[in-house]
Amino acid sequence: MDEQLRFTVFSGKRLHIGVCGSIASYKALDLLRRWSDAGITSGVTMTAAARQFLTPLAFEALGASPVYTTLYAGGENDSLDRDIFPHLSPGASADAFVIVAASASTMARLAHGLADEILSCQALAFPGPLVIAPAMNPRMWSNPATRKNWEILQKRGHILVEPDSGRVACREEGAGRLAKPHEIYAAVLKALSPQDFSGVHVMVTLGPTREFWDPVRFWSNPSTGLMGASLAVAAFLRGATVHALCGPGAPWLPRGIARHDVLSAKEMYSMANDLWPTMDTGIFTAAVADFAPIPLGEHKFKKGSAENLTLRLTPNPDILHSLGRAKKPHQKVVGFAAETGNLEQEVRRKLSAKHADMLVGNLVNEPGSGFGAATNSVFIADAQGRSDYLPELSKPDLAWRILTWLCAL
Ligand code: C5P
């Protein structure tokens, strides 16, 4: 699983998973397992068609409890012979409901309130967030009836995970393939998240930059972009509109995040400048190269051409400093500092020198807190005079804590 989705804050949440008759529904088993690894417990409902492809036992074996298959208690193969109101149970116990894979008929039932079997009854009686991830033949998906039902469900405010395009199980090509599991996984985390960043426009810079000297050689650093990706994902889950300015090699991000891939510091600076006037918050995690080699030209440098080669460097623009200085009163700026010593002193100095509202520093030479590590332990200081050391946390959990701190600024 992608590291940037590994939040522990969802542990203890409860999910209800609806499964329809599609061969893609086998992926619900894998997702159930991933949610369970995050500490999220699940109940499952299988339609009659789903049971033609998969058995309740498969879900039970992976920890789902209960698994509903019929509206009426005591039915054959029903693990719920004492629950006389099975259609109301998920509504009373689950924090979110996801249908994966959703068939055209289940979508039609939901769009029109037709509650003639267990899954649609439970979904209609569910008051919380509903996530729908369909999968079907491309001709069924593009049929005007399905398009209309999708539009109705969209207008109703459900969290929809649009299918992908490509080759489907029946070997036809087109839109209708179930979205990638991590897209559905992230949509469910969003359904389980507080929406305290709703309406907030957040820009995150992440990853390294690459400063080319000749067409085949560049100056860079070992940043992986995991800290920035975790912040972009956490802000997205909590309802923000997120723009991610990604240096080369930055990790996968959910498709709900606007991703802008850039290469050099100058490209990142130019993109950040363009976006900044419409942003409320800027989070600058990118390990921007402070210097760029003066380019040699359009041809490759041949290794025999000079002895004692000297590389000349020029300073790059400081994106955080420049946007921090130009910020409007409603805009907030968060900077990061990768240090090798004097952590508190450097964090406080950069907080003021860069006109930041919050600065997060770590020691890159400590185990569990450097470039590419899955975890980080940091010292944070803010412009209101508050500061704290946060212990070693996974980068997604640290991102969650930073956003909570930012909310209170
Ligand atoms: O000055 P220093 O590079 O240590 O500052 C680190 C902070 O400044 C980080 O938030 C980094 O993303 C940002 N930065 C920047 N543009 C640069 C250099 C650093 O935005 N050219």
Side-chain angles (χ1 to χ4, degrees), residues 205-206 265 268-269 283-291 316-322 334-339 346 349-350 354 359-360:
T205 70
L206 60 139
M268 191 177 271
Y269 179 61
I283 304 180
F284 299 84
T285 67
V288 184
D290 293 320
F291 305 96
N316 268 330
D318 187 324
I319 308 170
L320 167 59
H321 181 263
S322 158
V334 181
F336 278 71
E339 302 298 334
E346 277 306 294
R349 185 183 67 74
K350 286 183 183 176
K354 301 213 179 210
L359 217 113
V360 183

Side-chain angles (χ1 to χ4, degrees), residues 320 333-364 377-383 385-390 405:
L320 167 59
V333 158
V334 181
F336 278 71
E339 302 298 334
T340 51
N342 297 331
L343 183 61
E344 272 196 43
Q345 199 181 318
E346 277 306 294
V347 164
R348 291 188 202 286
R349 185 183 67 74
K350 286 183 183 176
L351 176 70
S352 109
K354 301 213 179 210
H355 310 274
D357 298 280
M358 180 174 179
L359 217 113
V360 183
N362 65 311
L363 291 171
V364 285
S377 48
V378 299
F379 174 71
I380 304 183
D382 73 22
R386 291 178 303 174
S387 62
D388 202 2
Y389 274 99
L390 298 189
W405 187 315

Side-chain angles (χ1 to χ4, degrees), residues 146-352:
T146 312
R147 309 303 321 131
K148 186 72 196 163
N149 290 336
W150 188 243
E151 196 187 304
I152 291 171
L153 295 168
Q154 199 157 28
K155 285 201 180 122
R156 218 169 270 160
H158 299 314
I159 301 177
L160 304 186
V161 190
E162 188 98 21
D164 283 343
S165 286
R167 206 157 107 121
V168 293
C170 51
R171 295 177 194 282
E172 286 181 31
E173 292 272 344
R177 273 167 66 120
L178 185 70
K180 301 270 177 308
H182 37 259
E183 238 17 289
I184 302 168
Y185 182 89
V188 164
L189 295 194
K190 189 173 174 64
L192 293 172
S193 296
Q195 296 299 291
D196 49 352
F197 275 76
S198 170
V200 182
H201 289 71
V202 177
M203 177 172 94
V204 184
T205 70
L206 60 139
T209 63
R210 234 174 236 184
E211 316 297 328
F212 274 87
W213 175 61
D214 78 355
V216 298
R217 299 179 182 94
F218 59 81
W219 171 272
S220 191
N221 60 67
S223 168
T224 60
L226 178 57
M227 190 65 238
S230 302
L231 278 152
V233 171
F236 165 71
L237 297 181
R238 290 166 73 157
T241 300
V242 182
H243 287 262
L245 278 63
C246 301
W252 170 87
L253 295 170
R255 46 160 108 112
I257 294 178
R259 181 184 181 117
H260 310 270
D261 285 298
V262 297
L263 211 53
S264 66
K266 286 204 177 79
E267 280 178 37
M268 191 177 271
Y269 179 61
S270 151
M271 181 60 77
N273 261 307
D274 289 349
L275 290 169
W276 187 231
T278 57
M279 294 293 130
D280 302 300
T281 301
I283 304 180
F284 299 84
T285 67
V288 184
D290 293 320
F291 305 96
I294 295 172
L296 182 75
E298 54 185 283
H299 295 294
K300 182 180 171 186
F301 176 80
K302 297 289 176 194
K303 69 177 172 223
S305 352
E307 276 178 26
N308 301 325
L309 177 66
T310 307
L311 204 58
R312 293 183 56 224
L313 300 166
T314 54
N316 268 330
D318 187 324
I319 308 170
L320 167 59
H321 181 263
S322 158
L323 300 191
R325 208 177 38 190
K327 71 179 182 208
K328 301 272 184 310
H330 76 279
Q331 290 180 308
K332 291 199 174 75
V333 158
V334 181
F336 278 71
E339 302 298 334
T340 51
N342 297 331
L343 183 61
E344 272 196 43
Q345 199 181 318
E346 277 306 294
V347 164
R348 291 188 202 286
R349 185 183 67 74
K350 286 183 183 176
L351 176 70
S352 109

